Amino acid sequence: MSAQIIDGKAFAGTVREKVAAHVTKLKSENNITPGLAVVLVGEDPASQVYVRSKGKQTVEVGMKSVEHKLDVETSEADLLALIDQLNNDDSIHGILVQLPLPKHLDEDLVINSISPAKDVDGFHISNVGLLGTGQKSMVPCTPLGCLMMLRDHHGSLSGMDAVVIGRSNIVGKPMAQLLLGDSCTVTIAHSRTKDLPEVVRRADIVVAAVGRPEMVPGDWIKEGATVIDVGINRIPAPEKGEGKHRLVGDVDYASCAERAGAITPVPGGVGPMTIACLLANTLTACCRANGLEEPEGLTA
Ligand code: GUN
């Protein structure tokens, strides 16, 4: 079997169009512009690229974008004061503090100081608890993007065997909760899992989110399974020239695509969906803050 490619780049474009159309409606009918504030502490190059991209796409869908770039030595008190100010700013509906933070800052404390209603990352302990108990919450962007692609491809996920490889708070755990919410039978596998190949071979849906380049070979994949590759790993590519790199996922694309029924590529799969879902979450937060109907198909 040769897998159908799930085009995350095109899907993200559709999500952004839906968000933009709803933003236009909010502006004209309610005189409301959704606003997203992104806070970056320090100068990590990868984080700078993400933050720039977030700001650009926020403006492109018609929202207000605010960026706060703080010195790497910013104190916890100053960062918390900024978050407090954003929590109390009615023109801001979403707040994202780019991770990782410099070591002297307590990540849990900072994330939990964001108002849960404005926590568009879905990392606040209240949102984690709401998701875990099947209540309305803000849902982490990457797993939400994966869920949207899976629902689009399969329609119902009910009764499917899903294996999530990776147990991070950002992807693995919320992904498992979302799949459970859609009535999958869910296994979370990780570095201590016994006989990982056999566990993965049972899966109708495999979500790989470990951050290890090309870790999942094709012979772990059940014939016809759907493979969602969350990994974005930069590896040396001497074939492209000295010092050159290329991006690969957590699955070995060529061999997995031979057995899977459908697969997301890297790049162009899950990656573009993450920012699209951030915009969707900002819109959702704005609608909830104003007691307005939420857009359909953009939440879990
Ligand atoms: N760093 C890497 N991924 C993310 C994310 O989804 N949200 C935030 N805030 N920081 C990140």
Side-chain angles (χ1 to χ4, degrees):
M1 173 176 269
S2 188
Q4 181 183 333
I5 295 169
I6 300 178
D7 186 343
K9 194 171 169 203
F11 199 119
T14 310
V15 170
R16 283 196 302 272
E17 276 169 24
K18 270 194 206 173
V19 171
H22 206 95
V23 170
T24 303
K25 190 163 141 288
L26 275 180
K27 284 177 168 172
S28 63
E29 291 179 11
N30 306 92
N31 198 26
I32 295 168
T33 302
L36 172 65
V38 174
V39 180
L40 173 63
V41 187
E43 292 178 359
D44 175 61
S47 293
Q48 284 178 324
V49 172
Y50 284 132
V51 167
R52 208 173 309 132
S53 190
K54 283 167 188 165
K56 182 166 168 278
Q57 293 190 33
T58 305
V59 171
E60 277 169 6
V61 296
M63 294 182 183
K64 168 176 156 165
S65 167
V66 179
E67 279 175 24
H68 290 273
K69 294 186 176 161
L70 307 182
D71 189 87
V72 67
E73 291 184 359
T74 299
S75 71
E76 200 161 83
D78 283 351
L79 179 55
L80 294 176
L82 172 61
I83 292 172
D84 187 53
Q85 179 198 315
L86 295 169
N87 281 342
N88 290 297
D89 183 340
D90 288 342
S91 75
I92 296 297
H93 306 94
I95 303 170
L96 179 147
V97 177
Q98 185 67 30
L99 303 178
L101 287 171
K103 291 277 175 288
H104 68 283
L105 299 169
D106 180 341
E107 226 161 69
D108 288 336
L109 180 73
V110 170
I111 295 303
N112 290 322
S113 73
I114 298 171
S115 161
K118 296 189 180 188
D119 167 37
V120 281
D121 259 329
F123 296 163
H124 190 289
I125 191 75
S126 296
N127 283 316
V128 175
L130 289 167
L131 176 62
T133 50
Q135 301 178 71
K136 203 188 236 189
S137 64
M138 296 305 304
V139 177
C141 304
T142 300
L144 178 58
C146 296
L147 183 75
M148 281 184 188
M149 290 191 287
L150 284 167
R151 282 178 176 170
D152 182 68
H153 184 75
H154 286 283
S156 169
L157 308 182
S158 181
M160 295 179 86
D161 282 317
V163 171
V164 179
I165 315 174
R167 53 177 157 178
S168 71
N169 291 335
I170 293 183
V171 183
K173 285 184 216 165
M175 186 76 248
Q177 294 287 7
L178 289 171
L179 291 166
L180 193 56
D182 270 28
S183 302
C184 291
T185 302
V186 184
T187 303
I188 305 180
H190 47 78
S191 56
R192 301 291 174 90
T193 295
K194 277 188 278 180
D195 203 355
L196 183 59
E198 271 315 303
V199 171
V200 176
R201 274 185 201 116
R202 289 203 298 267
D204 304 309
I205 294 170
V206 179
V207 180
V210 269
R212 286 181 53 190
E214 299 175 321
M215 190 196 105
V216 179
D219 69 356
W220 291 13
I221 301 299
K222 179 162 87 175
E223 195 75 34
T226 299
V227 176
I228 305 290
D229 191 350
V230 179
I232 302 176
N233 309 291
R234 232 168 80 92
I235 63 165
E239 72 280 6
K240 286 168 71 179
E242 207 182 302
K244 296 281 183 197
H245 290 79
R246 65 190 175 101
L247 290 182
V248 297
D250 288 349
V251 312
D252 177 53
Y253 185 82
S255 62
C256 288
E258 274 177 27
R259 291 174 64 104
I263 188 166
T264 59
V266 177
V270 175
M273 286 297 288
T274 297
I275 298 184
C277 287
L278 173 68
L279 304 175
N281 275 352
T282 304
L283 174 60
T284 299
C286 177
C287 291
R288 287 180 187 168
N290 288 283
L292 298 168
E293 208 178 313
E294 290 171 29
E296 246 175 66
L298 295 180
T299 51

